[in-house]
Amino acid sequence: MPGLVVIAATRDRILYQGVFGKAEVGRERPMTADAIFRIASMTKAVTSVAAMQLYEQGRFALDDPVEKYLPELANLMVFESFDHATNAYKVRPAATKVSIRHLFTHTSGLGYGFTSPIVRDFKPREGEAFQAGPLLFEPGTQWIYGTNTDWVGRLVERLSGKNLEEYFRERIFMPLKMSDTFYNVPGVKQARLVTLHRRQDGRADAPLIEQPNQPQPPATAFNGGGGLSSTASDYIRFARMILNGGTLDDARILSAPTVALMAQNHMGEVSVRALKTAQPDRSMDFTFVDDGKDKWGLGLLLTTSHVAGKRSAGSLSWGGINNTYYWIDPARGITGVIMMQVLPFADTKALAIYDTFERGVYQLADASLRQGP
């Protein structure tokens, strides 16, 4: 990897922090602890916490049909067939309405272009328009990673009357002292942005090619599924808040019962399955901690089995497409964040470093326990 920052913590202290390599290879700019990374889908956990704050206020129920609040998701259609060669397709009305719980758990039937060849190739016929979908399956019957949390973000905006940038800053980032997390990185901090590296055609054996940072127009619309930039130090504060049952230092973000609710299985008998990439330049094939057994809570992947030398059963985790990752282990009281900026997602070398880091954290934690305070 060109460069990375890792940090691990217990409920009450930083356990380890490491800074390695370059933030910008072409200019020989060293990586720093306060380097800013594009965290992409690690935004989803923040959006989910925001939505659960509104849940605590009684603004919605988990099994409410989402169309009650977002009419754009009424009258959804489901694919009956799709021909990749001709773009011919058949759709029918969904028999089940998409609920807010379906969105939290990625069981609505909404996919991404890199997780579904149908989503990747689909083009509506002339005269047809779909504000969402069509769905890949009946809601609640399967799992696929998709645009669900984008809609949870719209729900937060609709119910709160604030855009996500304002809501996150007021209700999450300021209370948690996450002063380096933004949709729009301020000009004075952009020099701390890490450059992205990409493997040509997503080949595991291809060299990494640096993509120099380019000025970006300010975002004026905000996506609940991605778009934030942050530091490892900021995100570990967010993760520690969840690890501590919704509080960190003097800030209460969620109640402990709500955090416990988020960490439960909310997809029933449906399980998370390995996914074959539909866009190799964006993602390699990716598997999970225990394919076919892992579950999804409210906005978080739920590991159901203990992994020897690593996280416990009941751990929560996810990541971002540029190979940023976090996990939260309530049973051991440990959380970790690893930040890299590499495409494709699930890069084999990035995952090997993630594995080494996580194993090292548990070895360090075990050694600390043996030595005592």
Side-chain angles (χ1 to χ4, degrees):
M1 289 296 105
L4 64 151
V5 178
V6 296
I7 189 165
T10 63
R11 290 187 169 91
D12 58 3
R13 67 186 179 94
I14 300 299
L15 188 65
Y16 175 81
Q17 183 170 19
V19 180
F20 306 91
K22 299 286 194 296
E24 191 172 2
V25 173
R27 297 185 180 181
E28 291 288 321
R29 176 161 59 97
M31 187 66 76
T32 56
D34 66 350
I36 296 175
F37 296 78
R38 300 160 191 85
I39 63 170
S41 286
M42 282 166 62
T43 303
K44 288 179 168 65
V46 180
T47 303
S48 300
V49 164
M52 293 308 291
Q53 289 179 326
L54 296 168
Y55 170 84
E56 286 188 335
Q57 297 169 22
R59 303 296 297 277
F60 65 86
L62 291 173
D63 292 317
D64 282 346
V66 70
E67 66 184 48
K68 178 178 177 181
Y69 311 97
L70 301 174
E72 309 95 296
L73 294 181
N75 305 313
L76 293 174
M77 308 297 284
V78 181
F79 281 110
E80 281 194 335
S81 63
F82 182 82
D83 188 301
H84 292 275
T86 65
N87 195 50
Y89 61 86
K90 292 181 181 179
V91 293
R92 58 171 173 77
T96 304
K97 294 182 185 296
V98 171
S99 70
I100 295 174
R101 195 191 306 267
H102 291 145
L103 295 179
F104 270 119
T105 57
H106 296 276
T107 56
S108 70
L110 294 167
Y112 275 132
F114 73 93
T115 61
S116 165
I118 295 176
V119 175
R120 178 196 64 198
D121 295 344
F122 171 67
K123 295 180 179 62
R125 290 184 284 257
E126 187 174 350
E128 286 189 333
F130 300 89
Q131 292 198 66
L135 305 177
L136 297 168
F137 47 78
E138 279 289 338
T141 62
Q142 298 182 48
W143 176 90
I144 192 166
Y145 189 47
T147 58
N148 301 274
T149 317
D150 301 24
W151 293 101
V152 175
R154 293 198 192 183
L155 178 69
V156 170
E157 292 187 329
R158 195 70 52 88
L159 293 178
S160 70
K162 299 178 182 291
N163 67 42
L164 291 182
E165 183 181 53
E166 294 170 336
Y167 187 95
F168 289 172
R169 183 176 64 249
E170 293 175 13
R171 298 296 308 276
I172 299 173
F173 299 156
M174 288 180 64
L176 288 177
K177 299 181 175 63
M178 295 171 64
S179 58
D180 283 327
T181 304
F182 312 94
Y183 277 105
N184 291 305
V185 178
V188 295
K189 297 190 177 189
Q190 288 188 10
R192 289 159 51 193
L193 276 166
V194 177
T195 56
L196 178 69
H197 283 72
R198 184 186 297 268
R199 295 195 196 279
Q200 187 175 1
D201 302 323
R203 300 195 324 268
D205 60 345
L208 288 167
I209 300 172
E210 188 168 32
Q211 318 289 306
N213 290 332
Q214 301 291 339
Q216 299 292 323
T220 55
F222 307 101
N223 184 354
L228 285 176
S229 296
S230 187
T231 62
S233 295
D234 264 19
Y235 208 87
I236 201 73
R237 291 188 64 78
F238 177 80
R240 285 176 63 205
M241 175 273 293
I242 296 176
L243 184 64
N244 282 311
T247 189
L248 183 66
D249 299 336
D250 57 351
R252 167 66 67 181
I253 304 300
L254 288 172
S255 71
T258 297
V259 174
L261 180 67
M262 294 178 72
Q264 296 171 11
N265 169 22
H266 285 273
M267 57 196 309
E269 296 301 312
V270 176
S271 293
V272 176
R273 57 188 173 86
L275 291 174
K276 186 170 181 59
T277 183
Q279 293 177 329
D281 61 325
R282 287 183 58 76
S283 175
M284 295 187 182
D285 298 345
F286 57 100
T287 60
F288 299 94
V289 180
D290 196 356
D291 294 327
K293 294 182 180 178
D294 285 345
K295 301 292 183 177
W296 209 273
L298 298 177
L300 305 156
L301 178 71
L302 174 62
T303 300
T304 57
S305 304
H306 171 68
V307 183
K310 296 172 66 175
R311 69 192 66 177
S312 311
S315 292
L316 308 166
S317 63
W318 200 236
I321 202 164
N322 301 315
N323 287 284
T324 61
Y325 301 94
Y326 70 90
W327 84 94
I328 302 164
D329 183 342
R332 287 292 306 273
I334 290 172
T335 178
V337 171
I338 180 168
M339 299 285 207
M340 300 171 273
Q341 293 284 266
V342 171
L343 281 174
F345 177 67
D347 177 82
T348 52
K349 292 180 180 178
L351 290 180
I353 293 174
Y354 182 16
D355 177 77
T356 300
F357 169 55
E358 185 176 341
R359 291 184 184 280
V361 166
Y362 283 91
Q363 291 169 10
L364 183 60
D366 290 341
S368 299
L369 282 175
R370 287 195 297 270
Q371 292 169 4

